[in-house]
Amino acid sequence: EEWSPDRVGVTFLIGSIALMTFSLCVYPALAGRVAKIKIWLFSWAPPVILLVLFPRLLTRLISRGASSTSPEVAVLNYGVQVVISMLLGSGFISVQLLLNEYVALLPDSAAQLSIANSMLASTQALVRAVSPTINGSLFSLGRNCEASSLAPFVSRALPFDSLAAVGLVACVACGVALGRRKGPGSV
């Protein structure tokens, strides 16, 4: 609650620098050695865990007297931001490559590739457009529930929990299914 707009900006700057470094220096070498579906699946494991743990660890630190400017809070915040930015941010590369490889094996792939990429870009834009409103509403709901009998189950961690659940179901489960498939997309 005491995280100022400039500190939020620094948090995203650090995450963006980590993502750029990972995408330019690590991802190309990794993609040359590891199947893209495995990169996709691995890129979701740590973030799903961190999305659930981060708000709870932060709340515990603050409740034990740590200030928002303490080294513990800074390490937790920036560390989680770096991991999530690097792994989920580079997931956009993986999903693009997986989609292109899948479509390349379909009949009339040249015509379908532009449609598939347009649909992917539109879906990403839609998610980016509605996510702030949905997550803000979930945060408000969770915060209001902290004073009710739902407090043990619903808290201000609700948007993080929902992102972890969506990531686990939509991205990890679908990635596992795609990886098990024979033929297109099983690379």
Side-chain angles (χ1 to χ4, degrees):
E1 293 176 8
E2 297 175 24
W3 210 255
S4 64
D6 60 323
R7 291 182 73 195
V8 171
V10 169
T11 300
F12 284 115
L13 175 64
I14 288 172
S16 296
I17 291 169
L19 171 59
M20 290 185 303
T21 304
F22 184 82
S23 295
L24 294 171
C25 301
V26 178
Y27 192 94
L30 189 61
R33 292 189 193 113
V34 180
K36 282 140 203 94
I37 193 66
K38 289 183 180 178
I39 297 171
W40 170 260
L41 291 171
F42 172 76
S43 73
W44 274 96
V48 164
I49 294 165
L50 289 174
L51 284 167
V52 172
L53 291 178
F54 173 72
R56 290 163 177 85
L57 293 173
L58 181 60
T59 301
R60 178 170 282 177
L61 279 173
I62 300 298
S63 71
R64 291 187 175 175
S67 76
S68 65
T69 59
S70 71
E72 298 90 350
V73 170
V75 167
L76 176 65
N77 179 65
Y78 295 125
V80 168
Q81 181 66 33
V82 163
V83 171
I84 288 176
S85 290
M86 274 187 346
L87 296 179
L88 294 187
S90 67
F92 288 102
I93 301 169
S94 296
V95 77
Q96 189 77 53
L97 294 172
L98 287 167
L99 176 70
N100 290 345
E101 289 174 0
Y102 180 83
V103 172
L105 298 173
L106 296 175
D108 195 22
S109 62
Q112 293 189 50
L113 189 58
S114 62
I115 295 168
N117 282 292
S118 296
M119 291 172 72
L120 177 62
S122 296
T123 302
Q124 291 171 345
L126 176 64
V127 170
R128 287 183 182 130
V130 300
S131 290
T133 302
I134 291 171
N135 284 307
S137 298
L138 289 171
F139 180 80
S140 296
L141 175 65
R143 193 159 179 203
N144 291 337
C145 287
E146 288 178 347
S148 73
S149 61
L150 295 173
F153 309 106
V154 182
S155 70
R156 63 186 76 198
L158 188 58
F160 293 90
D161 294 344
S162 66
L163 288 171
V166 166
L168 194 60
V169 173
C171 299
V172 175
C174 289
V176 168
L178 181 64
R180 289 184 178 164
R181 240 185 119 144
K182 303 291 184 210
S186 62
V187 292

